[in-house]
Structure formats: structure tokens, C-alpha cells
């Protein structure tokens, strides 16, 4: 299979699971597979960074593992931790029966996503979601584990990577990532799609939607995103808005319906006022 055929296969596989990729996404995924390099995905909230990882796993037939990072996340919550209650119960049982029990074996260890992904026997995809929320020590540990393809757990041993793992990292730029992270990864920035691509995405999710409704809703969403509002509508919000309008038995977005359903796409009072000003200015023309 030549390069063009491989790119076309990635494109087709993603579309078959309901994800409409851009050309740069297809090329980045191809390079990740060919070069065995992690992919760092950045972009505004609501542009589908996490969804890309999930859909890639589905499209490629890989088992999906996810580390959801947050402030204060620890080694134990990423790799695993001892089941102390089970250990204590086993020790008590051994004392009563006068037997010996090794309570530092895998049977007493609760595996978390990183270790589970490493020792999985099937091709896997590991998503390290919102890595910018974790501290630099955790980020450095993850890089080391992925680079060495090994994880060492005290009192348990060292686990080698057992599968052809594909790694995604997402960031909302809450803090600057380590230079080493960026150096090791392929990079892609996912922004809000242009209207034509967003319409294609909507069609894939709501195939029964009238073409006119799709076009006018997407064009309005794009205008709303340009208002300088606090929370820009996500692609999901566009899809939800069209579904909402159709659920109300409408096939077009008139001003009354827009005002009644604005809460589907706008999530705070200040943004709502800006959008209503936009609607009123359009009505006056």
C-alpha cells in the first residue's frame, strides 16, 4: 500500500465512524503511525481534541485508554495503587490460618490507565487528556515512561510495553508545556472549522436536517463566534442546536425560535446579550 492509499484509508476509516477530518489531521495521524511518535493536540475548548483521539481509536480498531489530568494528579492515580484493604484482610486471614501470603503481587494492585495501556496485549491508543493541568513532575514522568517504554512500580517490578501503542496528548494551554514534550511530539492545532467543513460535520451527525437549516445555522454560529464572547459555541453545540430546532418541528431558524433556544449554544448572561443584539440588528435591516 503506497502513501496515498494509506492516507485515503485513514480518511475513509475516520469518516466511517462519524469523524470528518481535515487534511492536516489525516497527514498527522499517518505520520504518527509511520514514525511511532505521540501527537500533541491543542486548540480552543469545544473543537473536538478529545473526540479526535476517541474516533482514531475506533477507526483503527485500537483499545482506548484515557488519563484525565487535573491539578494534583499523582503517580498512583496514573499508574496504579495497592489495594490496602485487600492486603490487610489477606494478612489477617493468613494470621488466623497460620499461612504465608504475598500481598505485594499483581492480585493486590489496582491498575490505572497508564499501566493498563502498557500491558494490554492488543494495539492500543492512550489519551493523556489536558496534560497542561498536571504539574511538570507528572508531565516529565509520563515522557520518561513513554520514552523508555517501561514502568517501574515499587515492590512489584518493571513492566515493559507490550503493544504497538499510539499516544495522544491534549492541552488547552493552561500552562506552558515542557520543551521536551513538544520536541518529542508531532503537533496539530485544531481550531473551529470553516463553514463548509462544519456543515459537512453536521450532515454526518444529522443526515435528516434540511440543507437550508444547516447552512443558516452554521453561518450564524460562525458570526456568534466572532462576537468576542466568553464561551464560543462548540461544534457539538451547532449539532445540538439543529437537532433542537428540528425537535420543535421547524425547518428554518426564525428569530423567535432563535431566542427561545439560545440556551442550547450560549451559556452565560453576558454572551446572551451580545447575541441578542446581533439578532436585533439583523431584524432591523
Amino acid at each position: 500500500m503506497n502513501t496515498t492509499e494509506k492516507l485515503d484509508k485513514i480518511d475513509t476509516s475516520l469518516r466511517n465512524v462519524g469523524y470528518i477530518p481535515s487534511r492536516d489531521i489525516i497527514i498527522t495521524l499517518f505520520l504518527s503511525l509511520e514514525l511511532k511518535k505521540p501527537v500533541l493536540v491543542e486548540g480552543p475548548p469545544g473543537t473536538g481534541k478529545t473526540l479526535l483521539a476517541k474516533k482514531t481509536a475506533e477507526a483503527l480498531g485500537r483499545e482506548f485508554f484515557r488519563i484525565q489530568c487535573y491539578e494534583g494528579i499523582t503517580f498512583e492515580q496514573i499508574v496504579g495503587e495497592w489495594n490496602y484493604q485487600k492486603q490487610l484482610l489477606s494478612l489477617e486471614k493468613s494470621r488466623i490460618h497460620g499461612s504465608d501470603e504475598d500481598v505485594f503481587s499483581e492480585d493486590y494492585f489496582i491498575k490505572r490507565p497508564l499501566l493498563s495501556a502498557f500491558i494490554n496485549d492488543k494495539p492500543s491508543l492512550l489519551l493523556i487528556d489536558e496534560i497542561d493541568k498536571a504539574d511538570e513532575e507528572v508531565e516529565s514522568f509520563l515522557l520518561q515512561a513513554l520514552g523508555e517504554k517501561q514502568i517501574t512500580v515499587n515492590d512489584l517490578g518493571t513492566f515493559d510495553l507490550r503493544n504497538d501503542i499510539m499516544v495522544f496528548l491534549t492541552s488547552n494551554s493552561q500552562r506552558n508545556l515542557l520543551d521536551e514534550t513538544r520536541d518529542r511530539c508531532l503537533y496539530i492545532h485544531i481550531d473551529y472549522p470553516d463553514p463548509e467543513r462544519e456543515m459537512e460535520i453536521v450532515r454526518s451527525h444529522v443526515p435528516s436536517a434540511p440543507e437550508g437549516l444547516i447552512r443558516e445555522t452554521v453561518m450564524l454560529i460562525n458570526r456568534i463566534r466572532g462576537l468576542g464572547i466568553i464561551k464560543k459555541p462548540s461544534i457539538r453545540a451547532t449539532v445540538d442546536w439543529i437537532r433542537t430546532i428540528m425537535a420543535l418541528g421547524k425547518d428554518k431558524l426564525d428569530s423567535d425560535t432563535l431566542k427561545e433556544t439560545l440556551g442550547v449554544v450560549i451559556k452565560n448572561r453576558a454572551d446572551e446579550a451580545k447575541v441578542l443584539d446581533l439578532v436585533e440588528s439583523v431584524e432591523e435591516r
Side-chain angles (χ1 to χ4, degrees):
M1 187 181 296
N2 61 35
T3 299
T4 300
E5 290 172 334
K6 290 179 179 178
L7 292 171
D8 289 343
K9 184 177 180 180
I10 292 172
D11 184 12
T12 301
S13 298
L14 284 170
R15 290 175 184 272
N16 286 343
V17 296
Y19 188 93
I20 309 300
S22 61
R23 181 67 176 176
D24 55 344
I25 286 175
I26 296 169
I27 291 174
T28 301
L29 296 183
F30 166 75
L31 292 174
S32 176
L33 291 167
E34 292 292 314
L35 303 177
K36 308 299 182 186
K37 292 179 72 69
V39 179
L40 172 60
V41 189
E42 291 186 326
T47 51
K49 300 185 293 297
T50 299
L51 183 65
L52 172 60
K54 289 181 176 179
K55 289 297 185 180
T56 298
E58 186 178 351
L60 300 181
R62 291 172 173 255
E63 294 196 7
F64 180 75
F65 298 87
R66 177 179 181 176
I67 299 171
Q68 180 60 59
C69 297
Y70 51 87
E71 186 177 351
I73 191 170
T74 64
F75 170 89
E76 290 77 15
Q77 291 159 331
I78 292 171
V79 176
E81 56 194 319
W82 293 105
N83 188 333
Y84 296 116
Q85 184 176 11
K86 185 176 180 180
Q87 286 176 315
L88 290 172
L89 288 172
S90 183
L91 288 171
E92 180 63 18
K93 182 179 178 181
S94 298
R95 185 187 66 79
I96 293 172
H97 294 284
S99 59
D100 292 327
E101 179 70 24
D102 180 11
V103 295
F104 289 100
S105 65
E106 283 193 48
D107 290 338
Y108 297 90
F109 194 76
I110 303 169
K111 300 177 183 68
R112 299 303 184 194
L114 183 61
L115 183 56
S116 296
F118 258 60
I119 65 176
N120 189 42
D121 291 329
K122 299 177 182 178
S124 305
L125 188 149
L126 172 65
L127 169 62
I128 305 172
D129 213 3
E130 298 183 314
I131 191 172
D132 53 315
K133 289 186 177 179
D135 60 35
E136 290 187 357
E137 184 178 359
V138 168
E139 182 184 344
S140 181
F141 160 73
L142 286 167
L143 281 179
Q144 182 179 1
L146 293 169
E148 296 179 355
K149 298 182 180 180
Q150 283 186 336
I151 301 173
T152 298
V153 179
N154 292 336
D155 298 318
L156 191 57
T158 297
F159 295 86
D160 294 320
L161 179 64
R162 296 180 187 172
N163 67 83
D164 175 27
I165 197 166
M166 190 176 190
V167 180
F168 279 70
L169 304 90
T170 70
S171 170
N172 291 322
S173 301
Q174 184 168 308
R175 68 167 175 84
N176 291 327
L177 300 182
L178 299 172
D179 289 341
E180 186 181 3
T181 300
R182 295 188 180 277
D183 288 342
R184 289 192 179 189
C185 296
L186 299 172
Y187 178 80
I188 186 167
H189 184 276
I190 300 181
D191 210 333
Y192 297 104
D194 61 57
E196 290 302 320
R197 181 164 171 256
E198 188 160 9
M199 283 188 271
E200 189 177 3
I201 292 170
V202 170
R203 292 186 197 103
S204 72
H205 287 279
V206 198
S208 60
E211 188 62 26
L213 175 61
I214 293 175
R215 178 167 293 277
E216 66 179 346
T217 305
V218 168
M219 298 309 293
L220 180 56
I221 284 283
N222 274 261
R223 293 187 66 181
I224 290 172
R225 289 179 184 143
L227 291 176
I229 58 179
I230 298 169
K231 174 73 172 65
K232 293 182 180 181
S234 64
I235 301 169
R236 183 188 302 111
T238 307
V239 173
D240 287 346
W241 207 8
I242 289 174
R243 285 176 172 158
T244 298
I245 295 163
M246 293 177 66
L248 292 173
K250 305 290 183 70
D251 59 3
K252 60 183 295 186
L253 185 58
D254 56 69
S255 60
D256 287 340
T257 303
L258 188 155
K259 293 174 183 176
E260 291 169 354
T261 62
L262 198 55
V264 175
V265 293
I266 299 301
K267 307 301 180 180
N268 66 69
R269 191 71 171 174
D271 288 350
E272 182 182 71
K274 289 183 179 180
V275 175
L276 290 174
D277 286 343
L278 171 64
V279 174
E280 290 172 2
S281 67
V282 172
E283 290 177 337
E284 291 171 357
R285 293 178 185 174

